[in-house]
Amino acid sequence: MEKLLQIEKLETEFTKDKQALKILHGVNFHINKGEVLGLVGESGSGKSLTSLSIMKLFKGTSGEISGGRIQFNDQDLTNISESDMRKIRGKQIAMIFQEPMTSLNPVMKIGEQLLEPIRLHLGLKEKQAKAHAVSILKKVGIPRAEEIINEFPHQLSGGMRQRIMIAMAISCNPQLLIADEPTTALDVTIQAQILDLMKQLQQKENMSVLLITHDLGVVAEMCDRVVVMYAGRVVEEADVFELFESPKHPYTKGLIGSVPKLGQKKEKLDSIKGNVPDPSNLPKGCKFAPRCNNVMPICYQEEPPDLKLENGRSCSCWLYKEERGDICV
Amino acid sequence: MELSKTVNQSNTIITEKKYSPLKEFWKNWKRQKTALWASFFILLLIIIAVVGPYIAPYDPYKPDYNSMLQGPGSKHFAGTDEYGRDIFSRLLVGSRISLSVSFLSVFLGAIVGTILGLISGYFGGWLDRFIMRSSDVMFAFPDLLLAIAIVAILGPGLNNVVIAVSIFSVPSFARLVRGATLEAKETVFVEAAKSMGASHFRIMFQHILPETLGSLIVFISMRIGTAILAASSLSFLGLGASPETPDWGAMLSLGRDYLGTSSHVVMMPGIAIFLTVLAFNVVGDGLRDVLDPKTKNE
Amino acid sequence: MSNTLLKVSGLRKSFSIPDGMFGKKKLLKAVHDVSFLIPEGKTFSLVGESGCGKSTTGRLISRLIAPSEGEIWIDGEEISQRKESQLKAMRKKVQMIFQDPYASLNPRMKVRDIVGEPLAIHTKLSKAERNKQVSEILEVVGLSEYHAHRYAHEFSGGQRQRIGIARALIMKPKLIIADEPVSALDVSIQSQILNLLKDLQAEFQLTYLFISHDLSVVEHISDHIGVMYLGTIVESGPKEEIFSNPQHPYTKALLSSIPIPDPRLRRERIILQGDLPSPVNPPTGCRFHTRCPVAMDICKVMEPPVKKGPTADHFVACHLIES
């Protein structure tokens, strides 16, 4: 399979009070063409920051990529200029966010906002652009598309706004769509609509999708492969079926066990003890060690290496050191 | 109980350093360089207000007809006035009057205004409308005019100046606290307190008032500057302190006739008023940056 | 059969909201004829999407707001129209846990004072006695005395929710109304809190009214479930019945919308068309008919009566059900 995006040893940090606080500590993963990759993690795992790093969207923050590579097609996004990046954003890599209301301009008509990227990236004339916009709106299942382009965001419901965001994102046929918790703010029945729409569009356009979520249910429904993050690191990477069937990393196991599943007759849920660590105060060694059920002395000493396992899986845990000796660099 | 790290049942390690709001405040306050200096100046003023009469080189009341209207010099640091009294000594002694008048009036105004604002914002309804409309009426008068009118009714004198200045502070405090109360009233923890059965009194003073404290402190420090100006203006107009008291405003008033010939008689108290008001405003600005989360640039 | 601790019947609440610039008022019917009961020691969950009135129902029962119509019986006493001054006894028996553990704890108070506040309100205990009880209750929820001297914002989300639970427990209440208590928490923390709530229920014979939008969480914690749509309960019954034998088309759609964390179970979903109608202007007849995949003509004109479902405790409000 052909790789569309390859991230290697990505490090991103923020500066506060003249002190650098590293949030991403060497993130590695790739996305193949036409694939839906799930990026799973809890708050503070660095999953959203990973997506912002790919887009280099640090506006207004002190965020900065301090190491590693982001290979997109044949370009390394970490060292291209802002003006080149602007040509990629929206055109080749598009993004949708959790809260559509904050990413839509409240005083601009839907049509104007939708036309902006179309004019900018596709160079279409006013009339053609408008026709294109209407066709995209129809594609994302918006009724009365011709009227909606003259309305303002607050006149629409949350689900409709998210459809508009998706329309904006796919308007220039991007190769990669990054969706950061696209349905978290929506109700379940609306979430089902949006997930269904995203799946359809992805298959029709053969887009690659990076789906960032904390919801394992959404991952299981949507993704082909999954990357699990914890405390700014990738702890496990696997095919979606294998991940749910035989999770390797104790964190992944705990995560899957702690979600209540429909129809499961369990008195008590498994749970991961303790709390998500504070990025400015991470433990030594494996960052998950204080919460881990299988912890060994070495876990407190040294960070586990990224181990390549069978079927293209990988897992960063000392438990599998014996199983497979060669360390991936 | 040791303060080192403890591991509890839910197996969490809490950061060792103990949090305290005062320490946190001091940490942020230290960064406000200008405001820090201004607060030192105010501290100095307060000390002077206390010990002024004991360190003054001359008797501030005793005329000395041999040295009238002398300019600043080695004998009289800030010169003398038309009766030959040492202006520097009068400023030192007068600081107590100016500061206590302004502090007292602002605190009185703040207390009454805060209570009215709390009631107005918390209960709403006709009470709110009554309090707010009354303060609108007061806002319609220029501040000083209102104070003059009050003193005119009550008669001149420092006590009445305090009353006048505090009355015209009340509506601004009421309005400020009402706004903050309306906001705090909507918080979930106030709802939580209600669900527990907390009394109105408890909700207002335990939960809502602390929320307004930040902006209240900022406003008080700003208001003190205004109050010093207002009290001085009243004295300058002859409505406050009697001319022989070393009140800064009264001194200003006295020097008016000699503006052309011996300007220092006006300049010295003028500078004192200017620096003090400036210091309070700078401190207020600094406090706003530290205490008022809305303007925090994070 | 155990005693009924909470009985709600015919509960209604409308809010008047300003419409447009000229202050014309409109009625928002947030809760429309809600009835259910909870036996002592059991958990009843209200589940539904945003705007369905589940939180308003919780606030009505805790009497944070007064109902427009209907009865609320708590432990044998009717409290729906009582004045605040007559509610003190009820406020001891009923405690709330809120969704957002960041907002529901006063940031300027220490944990000791937050958790001890109900004692300060309802008892005449001295400060030392209060603190002793606070320490005990903190142990119960998995925190320690050591935490009592800190401010709430020094804790993580899960720990804060434990503090909120400790505060709700300290008066030894009978009924706890938990409004989305885990939806603001991370997945791994969510299960800790759910387990804690279950343990506490067993230990203190608590009765829960659990309000949530998350069906998986609801299935885990409840004995009985009421599914709400636009202010009414469309279906209610024992947990097993609702999940294995749902009758109302909305319940069916809701159940099929939940993404299940198992990729082998990818399935055909019932995807509801359109958005939730506005409660200011709810549809006539059955409120669900605008989105219902099996709507009939009668649904547009007649509100469906509540009918008995396949088993005794199962109730459905749908014209399709034959009684």
Side-chain angles (χ1 to χ4, degrees):
Chain A
M1 261 217 248
E2 209 180 332
K3 285 177 185 171
L4 177 68
L5 180 87
Q6 168 111 35
I7 295 179
E8 279 168 30
K9 293 189 182 155
L10 178 66
E11 299 192 344
T12 300
E13 58 188 32
F14 286 96
T15 316
K16 203 192 165 196
D17 299 344
K18 288 179 191 152
Q19 276 185 327
L21 177 60
K22 204 186 273 183
I23 307 287
L24 298 184
H25 300 254
V27 171
N28 298 310
F29 65 85
H30 69 273
I31 304 174
N32 294 321
K33 284 200 170 146
E35 159 186 75
V36 181
L37 180 76
L39 191 55
V40 184
E42 297 179 286
S43 55
S45 62
K47 57 187 194 304
S48 289
L49 189 59
T50 305
S51 68
L52 294 178
S53 301
I54 297 171
M55 295 289 270
K56 293 220 271 184
L57 281 175
F58 298 117
K59 236 182 249 157
T61 69
S62 58
E64 200 183 10
I65 295 174
S66 54
R69 288 162 56 78
I70 301 173
Q71 189 79 24
F72 179 70
N73 287 327
D74 47 7
Q75 275 175 302
D76 180 2
L77 299 186
T78 55
N79 55 26
I80 65 171
S81 67
E82 175 61 25
S83 64
D84 284 340
M85 195 65 217
R86 228 173 283 144
K87 284 178 203 141
I88 292 177
R89 262 184 230 136
K91 171 102 178 72
Q92 287 167 298
I93 308 180
M95 193 159 177
I96 47 181
F97 297 91
Q98 172 173 349
E99 185 35 77
M101 201 56 203
T102 54
S103 21
L104 286 171
N105 185 340
V107 295
M108 252 168 101
K109 284 182 185 160
I110 302 285
E112 290 168 46
Q113 305 194 44
L114 195 55
L115 285 174
E116 217 171 52
I118 295 174
R119 270 190 297 231
L120 189 69
H121 293 303
L122 300 185
L124 291 178
K125 292 261 161 48
E126 191 64 39
K127 221 172 164 189
Q128 293 164 296
K130 204 159 188 175
H132 185 67
V134 170
S135 77
I136 295 273
L137 285 179
K138 284 186 174 152
K139 210 188 225 170
V140 297
I142 289 191
R144 348 176 259 118
E146 286 88 351
E147 293 162 47
I148 290 250
I149 53 172
N150 290 319
E151 289 180 6
F152 290 97
H154 69 263
Q155 293 171 286
L156 304 174
S157 67
M160 278 300 176
R161 283 187 214 130
Q162 199 56 291
R163 281 176 196 268
I164 302 278
M165 285 303 298
I166 294 174
M168 282 170 76
I170 63 162
S171 61
C172 301
N173 301 316
Q175 293 171 282
L176 174 63
L177 176 69
I178 301 177
D180 189 354
E181 304 268 11
T183 57
T184 308
L186 304 175
D187 281 314
V188 256
T189 58
I190 309 295
Q191 164 169 292
Q193 293 174 359
I194 298 292
L195 291 181
D196 189 58
L197 170 71
M198 283 177 60
K199 192 93 201 169
Q200 274 180 31
L201 288 172
Q202 186 265 332
Q203 279 161 358
K204 217 187 283 168
E205 315 282 330
N206 199 29
M207 246 184 330
S208 300
V209 175
L210 176 61
L211 179 67
I212 297 168
T213 181
H214 70 282
D215 188 333
L216 289 172
V218 171
V219 170
E221 293 280 343
M222 296 285 293
C223 301
D224 300 313
R225 238 160 21 92
V226 188
V227 167
V228 183
M229 284 186 73
Y230 188 79
R233 292 151 179 83
V234 171
V235 294
E236 182 161 6
E237 184 184 337
D239 173 82
V240 70
F241 291 95
E242 292 191 33
L243 187 90
F244 281 92
E245 206 159 298
S246 62
K248 295 281 188 201
H249 198 283
Y251 175 64
T252 318
K253 285 182 192 167
L255 214 51
I256 293 174
S258 45
V259 192
K261 291 171 199 64
L262 279 188
Q264 167 200 49
K265 302 267 175 291
K266 231 198 222 170
E267 247 323 284
K268 278 202 113 173
L269 295 168
D270 301 339
S271 66
I272 306 177
K273 62 192 176 187
N275 294 293
V276 180
D278 174 4
S280 63
N281 195 11
L282 289 174
K284 199 177 165 239
C286 174
K287 306 307 159 212
F288 187 61
R291 304 178 68 190
C292 184
N293 285 331
N294 307 85
V295 68
M296 302 177 291
I298 187 172
C299 303
Y300 290 114
Q301 300 301 321
E302 234 179 292
E303 255 194 80
D306 209 356
L307 299 171
K308 285 259 178 272
L309 306 173
E310 75 288 353
N311 299 338
R313 299 183 68 165
S314 73
C315 176
S316 169
C317 177
W318 285 115
L319 285 176
Y320 304 99
K321 181 80 174 75
E322 302 301 312
E323 199 172 308
R324 187 104 176 108
D326 50 327
I327 291 167
C328 141
V329 185
Chain B
M1 178 121 236
E2 73 281 283
L3 274 180
S4 61
K5 71 175 185 189
T6 40
V7 181
N8 65 25
Q9 281 130 307
S10 60
N11 227 349
T12 13
I13 300 158
I14 304 190
T15 36
E16 274 110 90
K17 217 171 64 205
K18 208 167 168 202
Y19 173 86
S20 117
L22 262 172
K23 255 188 235 159
E24 187 73 15
F25 171 77
W26 179 240
K27 206 183 95 196
N28 292 326
W29 184 240
K30 272 191 304 196
R31 281 197 217 130
Q32 307 282 336
K33 291 283 182 267
T34 342
L36 194 67
W37 284 112
S39 63
F40 284 139
F41 179 75
I42 291 174
L43 206 66
L44 184 75
L45 266 180
I46 294 174
I47 294 171
I48 288 174
V50 175
V51 301
Y54 308 105
I55 58 165
Y58 294 90
D59 184 340
Y61 295 97
K62 201 175 140 205
D64 177 359
Y65 298 108
N66 295 325
S67 49
M68 293 190 300
L69 292 173
Q70 280 183 5
S74 56
K75 209 165 159 222
H76 296 284
F77 181 64
T80 58
D81 66 4
E82 57 172 328
Y83 299 108
R85 295 176 296 200
D86 181 48
I87 292 182
F88 183 63
S89 304
R90 284 176 72 79
L91 284 177
L92 288 184
V93 175
S95 63
R96 180 183 290 189
I97 300 172
S98 290
L99 283 188
S100 52
V101 165
S102 54
F103 272 70
L104 209 62
S105 55
V106 170
F107 282 121
L108 273 176
I111 291 169
V112 177
T114 301
I115 292 173
L116 286 178
L118 269 176
I119 291 174
S120 183
Y122 182 77
F123 290 107
W126 66 268
L127 210 57
D128 178 33
R129 283 196 292 278
F130 176 72
I131 294 174
M132 282 302 116
R133 287 306 83 77
S134 317
S135 61
D136 282 347
V137 170
M138 289 175 74
F139 273 124
F141 292 99
D143 279 1
L144 202 58
L145 203 64
L146 188 68
I148 292 171
I150 295 167
V151 176
I153 296 167
L154 299 174
L158 275 178
N159 288 344
N160 294 340
V161 167
V162 170
I163 293 173
V165 176
S166 51
I167 287 178
F168 90 67
S169 306
V170 166
S172 344
F173 277 106
R175 190 174 274 193
L176 173 89
V177 172
R178 175 181 177 267
T181 304
L182 285 178
E183 210 172 296
K185 204 169 79 166
E186 297 305 318
T187 57
V188 185
F189 62 81
V190 166
E191 175 152 285
K194 237 180 248 171
S195 80
M196 284 181 262
S199 60
H200 294 313
F201 185 84
R202 186 180 181 88
I203 292 174
M204 282 201 291
F205 289 94
Q206 175 88 49
H207 295 285
I208 293 179
L209 184 61
E211 285 299 292
T212 68
L213 225 50
S215 28
L216 205 54
I217 291 174
V218 173
F219 197 60
I220 285 177
S221 63
M222 299 275 206
R223 238 11 236 205
I224 287 178
T226 323
I228 290 176
L229 274 182
S232 302
S233 309
L234 287 174
S235 295
F236 181 78
L237 294 172
L239 293 170
S242 53
E244 76 277 4
T245 26
D247 175 84
W248 294 352
M251 288 166 71
L252 214 61
S253 161
L254 217 59
R256 194 167 34 174
D257 301 338
Y258 308 96
L259 203 58
T261 48
S262 316
S263 56
H264 70 271
V265 184
V266 174
M267 286 287 277
M268 293 302 161
I271 289 171
I273 294 171
F274 165 74
L275 285 178
T276 312
V277 173
L278 183 70
F280 276 107
N281 283 343
V282 167
V283 166
D285 265 337
L287 283 171
R288 186 198 302 271
D289 288 346
V290 174
L291 294 176
D292 212 341
K294 264 165 276 166
T295 51
K296 248 188 204 174
N297 46 350
E298 274 195 293
Chain C
M1 196 65 191
S2 51
N3 297 330
T4 299
L5 186 80
L6 172 73
K7 184 172 171 242
V8 174
S9 65
L11 202 61
R12 284 167 196 258
K13 177 70 184 176
S14 309
F15 297 101
S16 61
I17 50 164
D19 176 42
M21 278 168 72
F22 300 104
K24 228 174 51 191
K25 295 277 167 96
K26 266 189 173 181
L27 272 191
L28 185 152
K29 292 170 192 144
V31 174
H32 184 74
D33 201 3
V34 162
S35 307
F36 61 90
L37 53 86
I38 316 181
E40 199 163 358
K42 299 285 181 194
T43 303
F44 183 88
S45 292
L46 283 175
V47 64
E49 297 178 279
S50 54
C52 71
K54 55 189 192 299
S55 286
T56 308
T57 308
R59 287 161 52 98
L60 286 169
I61 293 166
S62 66
R63 279 303 315 274
L64 282 168
I65 44 178
S68 312
E69 260 177 70
E71 292 177 1
I72 303 168
W73 292 83
I74 294 174
D75 207 14
E77 283 181 81
E78 211 286 316
I79 55 128
S80 65
Q81 300 302 331
R82 282 198 185 166
K83 289 200 183 67
E84 187 59 46
S85 54
Q86 300 167 303
L87 284 170
K88 232 175 166 182
M90 165 263 177
R91 297 231 181 269
K92 272 163 84 171
K93 281 185 218 165
V94 182
Q95 294 287 325
M96 289 193 84
I97 300 171
F98 294 86
Q99 166 175 6
D100 187 345
Y102 288 86
S104 63
L105 308 176
N106 189 332
R108 289 166 214 279
M109 281 163 76
K110 289 186 174 171
V111 169
R112 189 178 54 202
D113 301 319
I114 291 173
V115 176
E117 189 167 20
L119 292 176
I121 293 167
H122 292 288
T123 68
K124 293 197 161 51
L125 295 177
S126 71
K127 191 143 187 159
E129 288 169 304
R130 288 209 302 263
N131 290 343
K132 194 170 150 273
Q133 288 201 25
V134 168
S135 307
E136 285 167 12
I137 208 81
L138 283 178
E139 298 282 341
V140 170
V141 299
L143 296 169
S144 70
E145 204 268 327
Y146 168 73
H147 294 100
H149 308 283
R150 292 172 171 271
Y151 290 89
H153 65 255
E154 295 177 78
F155 295 89
S156 66
Q159 288 173 314
R160 286 169 153 249
Q161 201 54 296
R162 285 175 197 268
I163 296 168
I165 293 172
R167 172 173 70 183
L169 279 180
I170 201 159
M171 288 312 296
K172 311 251 178 320
K174 295 198 159 178
L175 175 67
I176 287 188
I177 300 175
D179 190 354
E180 301 268 14
V182 295
S183 58
L185 304 176
D186 272 319
V187 188
S188 70
I189 307 299
Q190 191 172 317
S191 57
Q192 291 176 0
I193 299 296
L194 288 175
N195 286 340
L196 175 68
L197 286 172
K198 278 199 137 183
D199 292 344
L200 293 172
Q201 180 166 44
E203 195 175 337
F204 299 105
Q205 289 81 50
L206 295 168
T207 307
Y208 288 144
L209 173 60
F210 197 91
I211 296 165
S212 177
H213 71 283
D214 188 333
L215 278 163
S216 327
V217 167
V218 161
E219 191 202 20
H220 182 73
I221 196 132
S222 330
D223 299 301
H224 279 73
I225 291 171
V227 180
M228 285 188 82
Y229 186 81
L230 271 188
T232 56
I233 293 186
V234 294
E235 181 164 8
S236 70
K239 168 176 78 180
E240 297 76 17
E241 275 290 303
I242 297 286
F243 280 89
S244 59
N245 193 13
Q247 297 294 309
H248 198 283
Y250 178 64
T251 316
K252 288 179 187 167
L254 206 55
L255 281 170
S256 100
S257 299
I258 314 168
I260 293 178
D262 188 342
R264 286 165 309 175
L265 296 179
R266 287 184 189 173
R267 62 216 153 122
E268 273 304 301
R269 289 208 180 104
I270 308 170
I271 292 183
L272 290 179
Q273 295 306 310
D275 290 311
L276 214 64
S278 154
V280 177
N281 209 352
T284 52
C286 172
R287 296 183 156 211
F288 183 58
H289 84 257
T290 52
R291 299 175 75 196
C292 184
V294 290
M296 306 172 293
D297 284 340
I298 186 175
C299 305
K300 291 175 191 152
V301 288
M302 207 178 110
E303 225 174 289
V306 178
K307 295 176 192 163
K308 270 216 154 64
T311 54
D313 280 352
H314 196 156
F315 298 97
V316 193
C318 178
H319 288 300
L320 280 173
I321 306 297
E322 324 238 317
S323 47

